[in-house]
Amino acid sequence: MKRYVAPSLLAADFGNLREDILMVNNSEADYFHCDIMDGVFVPNLSFGFPVLEHIKKYAEKPLDVHLMTIEPEKYIRRYKKAGADILTVHLEACDHLHRVVQEIKSEGMMAGVSLNPHTSVRLLENILAHVDMILIMSVNPGYGGQTFIEHSYSKIATLREMCDNVNPGILIEVDGGVDLSNAGRLYETGVNILVAGTAVFKANDPVKMISDLKKA
Ligand code: DX5
Ligand code: ZN
């Protein structure tokens, strides 16, 4: 199975964002993970369209945009315009998830669905066939630098089994508390994309850390 790494820019130095983007360009990373928080769905605010557009300007890899917002359907076209390649919404934030997924795809983006730690992967049964990616949150969303929640492994294993039947090509991404201590087991459990914020940007050598995570 292919292994991908998506550094989360939430942990980057926002005063020198361009430098950090160039570092990711010159590394083995596969995506830029961009966390959008609205202060309502999660108890924090991050950044919005103007910053996303600047990231797009310098990024030489696809933008993996993770929306931690209510009513994500309001801005789908604007995220596309700002440069999103993958757009992920939370299942908990969508009354009409199937429609939202269709709209994301009709704008030419890959569609992802994310689950909070308490949400069962069984709830994905009727959407799995329609999405490109599932993002399993392995911390409660809102902040970087939190501790990985151990029950994420069993969720990922169950999800991978469910996907094998319905949509084997789906990408499974895990986000929160990912570092070298859990990366190998996560890949073995069925993850394709590791998101890593603190582990990458607080490392002494972020380029090496990205490479080590891929080989974990
Ligand atoms: C948390 C965000 C994550 C966060 C991960 O709500 O979705 O992408 O940046 O940060 P680390 O890797 O530090 O847990
Ligand atoms: Zn994220």
Side-chain angles (χ1 to χ4, degrees), residues 8 10 33 35 37 66 68 137 139-146 175-178 195-199:
S8 167
L10 194 64
H33 186 81
D35 290 299
M37 303 178 184
H66 175 196
M68 286 159 276
M137 284 308 300
V139 298
N140 285 294
Y143 300 93
Q146 302 182 79
D175 183 6
V178 173
V195 175
T198 307

